[in-house]
Amino acid sequence: MFSASQFDSATAFSGGGFMSSQPSQLNDSSPAPSKSRDSQGLIPVTVKQISEASQSGDEKSNFVIDGVDLNNVTLVGMVYEKVERNTDVNFILDDGTGRIKCRRWVNETFDTKEMEQVMNGMYVRVYGHLKSFQGVRQLVAFSVRPVTNFDEIPFHFIDCIHNHLRSKLKVEGITSGNPSSISSLNTAVKSEPNGSQAPSSNPGYAQYSVDGLKDCDKLVIDYLQQHSDMSDERGIHVNELSRELKLPLDKIMLSLKTLGDDGLVYSTIDDYHYKQA
Amino acid sequence: MDTSNPAVFVNGHLIPNFIGKKVRAVVQVNQCDGGVATAKSSDDCQLTIKGLPEVPLLNYIEVIGIAESSNSISAEVWTDFGNTFDTNSYNQLCQLANGEFKSLFL
């Protein structure tokens, strides 16, 4: 039985599938920049960034960009030189910053069908795993989908910039707290001032998730955060939230629903008690 | 991996920095005859695009090609982005990709 304080989405989802498993930093008080929790996610990158990524250790698939370990990446670019074979489909992805070889293994009918839709000269969104094979970096794709809304292209590159800033802030924030990186983050994205003051037990959390929350959602999550007690597994009753935050119950319930959908809170013994995830 | 021949995100004001180089721009085509099109860049500059086939007028077209002069591009590849496209975001991306975050692109 784990207590609620140990529950952390990073640990919960890092076990299976294609996520890299890595121990959570939650209970570790000393910050370790290289083992950032971000390394578990899917990171938007450009081919240029991949070409400059440093390879850590002698493992074949251990890349670091902006001081963050990276395994699974997403790119948007154009398909060239598609070659279909019985077991796999190879192509070159050109995202305008460079070209990288991609390979999609086709085991299931689903894989074949998805790859049939992909034509040369088409814009696609690729999700894949970065690997080094005979000294050449390539992408083992597990999803290749045609771009249908072309706003996804600028979005992807803005996403790359956003992610770059966030990693930079995290790495520099731990080592030097360089103010220039903070100011650049403020200009490019709406950064949450609370991010740097988040409880030390959960450093990545506030700046990652509070972005874009509505006022009411934020009040609720802040209250749950401040009044979380490891020993109390029941959490906070909705009436208490309503009373303490001086907000109508239906608003509280709505916020809890939104936060629950985002995986930030969860109900405990019944639908009226909540804890922060 | 090959990053030797990138296509730089450009708007009208950035083209002069890349004459003779490969660029990419999203333009709205106003007029198109005989392979030469008149188009508006994401920052409202008038551009001449060469080598473009017949494309739907007023649609947003991405052209990738060589910047021939400060207001013309010779297209090698083009993609129809349709008739709704957020040119403002694209324009800001052009500026970021050539400014503070150039290292991610070039």
Side-chain angles (χ1 to χ4, degrees):
Chain A
M1 177 77 198
F2 59 26
S3 83
S5 65
Q6 285 171 311
F7 183 83
D8 169 55
S9 57
T11 0
F13 300 120
S14 66
F18 36 66
M19 303 295 217
S20 69
S21 63
Q22 209 169 58
S24 166
Q25 292 294 304
L26 204 60
N27 298 321
D28 188 357
S29 53
S30 64
S34 62
K35 297 281 180 201
S36 154
R37 5 186 318 146
D38 259 3
S39 62
Q40 286 132 7
L42 186 65
I43 299 179
V45 291
T46 64
V47 174
K48 174 76 191 316
Q49 284 178 291
I50 293 175
S51 75
E52 289 182 338
S54 52
Q55 227 164 332
S56 66
D58 22 82
E59 278 178 67
K60 281 185 178 161
S61 54
N62 217 349
F63 296 92
V64 178
I65 290 183
D66 299 326
V68 174
D69 282 354
L70 122 147
N71 279 306
N72 294 324
V73 293
T74 175
L75 288 107
V76 172
M78 235 179 224
V79 173
Y80 287 100
E81 297 171 35
K82 184 185 165 200
V83 178
E84 281 177 76
R85 299 197 296 196
N86 280 341
T87 51
D88 59 330
V89 177
N90 289 298
F91 61 92
I92 303 281
L93 188 79
D94 186 335
D95 76 344
T97 73
R99 292 178 153 222
I100 189 167
K101 192 177 165 185
C102 299
R103 169 172 293 177
R104 170 74 182 271
W105 294 104
V106 286
N107 300 315
E108 315 281 336
T109 332
F110 170 78
D111 301 323
T112 319
K113 280 212 169 122
E114 197 176 88
M115 289 314 294
E116 272 172 7
Q117 292 178 24
V118 174
M119 312 283 180
N120 285 331
M122 192 182 248
Y123 267 109
V124 291
R125 159 79 72 175
V126 179
Y127 297 98
H129 182 79
L130 201 54
K131 265 199 164 167
S132 187
F133 182 68
Q134 293 172 345
V136 180
R137 287 168 193 197
Q138 59 176 36
L139 203 59
V140 179
F142 40 77
S143 164
V144 182
R145 291 178 196 154
V147 168
T148 50
N149 180 336
F150 292 97
D151 281 317
E152 187 167 350
I153 296 164
F155 164 75
H156 168 73
F157 290 100
I158 293 165
D159 204 16
C160 292
I161 295 175
H162 179 211
N163 194 72
H164 164 76
L165 279 173
R166 212 169 60 198
S167 312
K168 205 169 109 181
L169 183 72
K170 198 163 288 172
V171 173
E172 291 184 2
I174 290 165
T175 52
S176 66
N178 187 345
S180 73
S181 68
I182 294 166
S183 73
S184 67
L185 184 65
N186 277 330
T187 54
V189 293
K190 268 185 201 149
S191 102
E192 172 54 50
N194 281 357
S196 52
Q197 298 151 13
S200 56
S201 64
N202 204 352
Y205 163 70
Q207 83 179 70
Y208 184 74
S209 60
V210 180
D211 277 352
L213 288 188
K214 284 191 300 184
D215 292 351
C216 179
D217 297 356
K218 185 159 168 9
L219 286 173
V220 169
I221 191 101
D222 282 350
Y223 188 87
L224 290 177
Q225 198 171 353
Q226 282 154 18
H227 296 81
S228 66
D229 180 356
M230 289 181 199
S231 60
D232 179 14
E233 307 216 334
R234 286 184 312 157
I236 309 286
H237 196 279
V238 290
N239 286 341
E240 181 183 337
L241 282 167
S242 173
R243 195 175 60 237
E244 294 296 324
L245 299 175
K246 299 183 177 58
L247 286 164
L249 191 59
D250 53 336
K251 255 193 139 173
I252 297 284
M253 293 308 280
L254 205 65
S255 282
L256 286 167
K257 168 104 178 42
T258 319
L259 292 166
D261 289 346
D262 290 344
L264 299 174
V265 302
Y266 62 97
S267 58
T268 57
I269 50 167
D270 55 31
D271 287 347
Y272 303 102
H273 287 81
Y274 281 85
K275 285 203 78 157
Q276 186 203 356
Chain B
M1 293 221 49
D2 176 15
T3 53
S4 60
N5 193 18
V8 195
F9 280 107
V10 291
N11 58 24
H13 283 107
L14 289 159
I15 293 179
N17 303 330
F18 299 99
I19 293 171
K21 298 219 171 85
K22 193 153 97 171
V23 293
R24 55 164 151 180
V26 173
V27 297
Q28 195 177 24
V29 175
N30 296 319
Q31 205 187 0
C32 189
D33 46 7
V36 178
T38 323
K40 199 172 72 176
S41 68
S42 56
D43 56 347
D44 284 337
C45 294
Q46 284 294 324
L47 301 180
T48 307
I49 313 292
K50 292 176 190 161
L52 207 57
E54 204 67 22
V55 292
L57 292 186
L58 299 178
N59 268 24
Y60 295 97
I61 310 289
E62 184 198 51
V63 292
I64 301 178
I66 306 294
E68 290 199 320
S69 71
S70 55
N71 58 6
S72 79
I73 299 173
S74 169
E76 287 168 3
V77 183
W78 63 278
T79 309
D80 187 353
F81 278 10
N83 53 16
T84 55
F85 183 73
D86 186 350
T87 46
N88 186 34
S89 297
Y90 187 86
N91 195 47
Q92 286 187 43
L93 174 62
C94 291
Q95 282 158 0
L96 292 171
N98 284 282
E100 199 179 347
F101 302 102
K102 204 170 174 173
S103 65
L104 271 62
F105 296 85
L106 283 179

